């Protein structure tokens, strides 16, 4: 079945970096883009950015520009999200999510990973 | 950035009730509006895309309508398994943005 499986929970110190993986299966990985969405404890959803698994094009939320990098490895059908210079307010569950439509921009997300909890604490 | 304003932020209704949630965009987004359901500890689930299209496998008691800046999400007959937080999301412009969520509880 179509699924996205994410890497496990992380605990990081302020200033460190974290890299979360998202392994796709059950579909042609390069046909759909992947977005990353995060959710701080008890809060709503925040879109972080998007990567085309077809050509690697990216679009990041402006507030994260310079701290976030999204990549893909088509040989393993895996997407990655790296966030640097972590702060306490980066503590959140991080989700990867697949585009509903194979297109050049994100639209709706029909398949989600299970989420990865990233805790930033000294 | 396009701001998405959802209301109410929470509601309590009885099983079988009709439940309506609204979402207002800060500018015209045509019909580029999606609705998600999120249960505690779980990832969001897509229910409605492009304002009124029911995602495959989603029960027909869920529906959506609207265009431009004003949108409505309806549960025609609330069921116990519908207890969740519901979010709207626009995809007219980047960055994609979500509404603040509506928590639905059983009275």
């Amino acid at each position: 079945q179509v699924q996205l499986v994410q890497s496990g929970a992380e605990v990081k110190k302020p200033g460190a970096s974290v890299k979360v993986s998202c392994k796709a299966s059950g579909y042609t990985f390069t046909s759909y883009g992947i977005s990353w969405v995060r959710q701080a404890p008890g809060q709503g959803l925040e879109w972080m950015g998007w990567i085309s698994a077809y050509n690697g094009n990216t679009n990041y939320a402006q507030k994260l520009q310079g701290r976030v990098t999204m990549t893909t490895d088509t040989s393993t059908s895996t997407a990655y999200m790296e966030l640097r210079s972590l702060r306490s307010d980066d503590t959140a569950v991080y989700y990867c999510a697949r585009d509903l439509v194979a297109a050049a921009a994100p639209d709706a997300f029909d398949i989600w990973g299970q989420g990865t909890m990233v805790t930033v604490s000294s | 950035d396009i701001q998405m304003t959802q209301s109410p932020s929470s509601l309590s209704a009885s099983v079988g009730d009709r439940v309506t949630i609204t979402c207002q965009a800060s500018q015209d987004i045509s019909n580029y509006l999606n609705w998600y359901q999120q249960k505690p500890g779980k990832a969001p689930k897509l229910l409605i895309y492009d304002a009124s299209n029911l995602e495959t496998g989603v029960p027909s008691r869920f529906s959506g309508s609207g265009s431009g800046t004003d949108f409505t999400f309806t549960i025609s007959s609330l069921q116990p398994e519908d207890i969740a937080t519901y979010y709207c999301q626009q995809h007219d412009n980047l960055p994609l943005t979500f509404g603040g969520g509506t928590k639905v509880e059983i009275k």
Side-chain angles (χ1 to χ4, degrees):
Chain A
Q1 74 280 26
V2 177
Q3 62 177 354
L4 299 173
V5 178
Q6 298 183 221
S7 49
E10 304 264 12
V11 179
K12 297 291 183 180
K13 294 193 182 303
S17 299
V18 68
K19 191 170 186 177
V20 179
S21 68
C22 170
K23 183 171 177 61
S25 60
Y27 72 96
T28 302
F29 180 67
T30 52
S31 292
Y32 296 86
I34 295 282
S35 280
W36 290 86
V37 175
R38 70 179 180 178
Q39 186 170 37
Q43 302 302 306
L45 302 168
E46 179 187 14
W47 180 78
M48 301 176 65
W50 172 87
I51 182 165
S52 165
Y54 174 70
N55 58 17
N57 285 351
T58 55
N59 193 294
Y60 302 136
Q62 189 160 10
K63 69 175 286 189
L64 296 173
Q65 286 274 5
R67 290 206 299 138
V68 67
T69 301
M70 296 175 188
T71 56
T72 58
D73 181 343
T74 56
S75 70
T76 60
S77 299
T78 303
Y80 298 92
M81 185 284 299
E82 181 179 32
L83 189 60
R84 299 176 294 277
S85 302
L86 288 168
R87 310 186 290 246
S88 58
D89 62 356
D90 291 318
T91 294
V93 176
Y94 289 75
Y95 294 102
C96 59
R98 190 191 80 163
D99 290 342
L100 175 65
V101 175
D107 46 16
F109 310 127
D110 64 340
I111 305 296
W112 292 68
Q114 82 276 21
T116 296
M117 182 71 212
V118 175
T119 302
V120 183
S121 174
S122 55
Chain B
D1 298 3
I2 297 175
Q3 307 303 315
M4 306 301 295
T5 304
Q6 259 184 264
S7 62
S9 57
S10 66
L11 65 88
S12 181
S14 300
V15 172
D17 281 355
R18 183 180 186 87
V19 168
T20 299
I21 298 168
T22 64
C23 183
Q24 185 170 59
S26 59
Q27 65 188 66
D28 189 334
I29 59 168
S30 185
N31 67 330
Y32 298 129
L33 191 284
N34 307 315
W35 290 96
Y36 298 86
Q37 175 193 66
Q38 187 179 33
K39 297 184 178 180
K42 300 294 187 182
K45 175 186 177 182
L46 178 65
L47 300 180
I48 303 284
Y49 63 94
D50 291 345
S52 61
N53 296 290
L54 195 67
E55 171 67 342
T56 303
V58 174
S60 59
R61 64 180 180 273
F62 296 102
S63 64
S65 64
S67 66
T69 60
D70 295 303
F71 301 85
T72 300
F73 171 81
T74 301
I75 307 173
S76 61
S77 176
L78 185 68
Q79 299 301 303
E81 60 266 31
D82 300 336
I83 300 315
T85 300
Y86 294 83
Y87 293 94
C88 60
Q89 173 242 321
Q90 65 81 20
H91 67 97
D92 181 58
N93 273 1
L94 295 178
L96 305 189
T97 47
F98 292 87
T102 297
K103 186 174 184 179
V104 174
E105 298 175 321
I106 295 285
K107 191 182 296 181

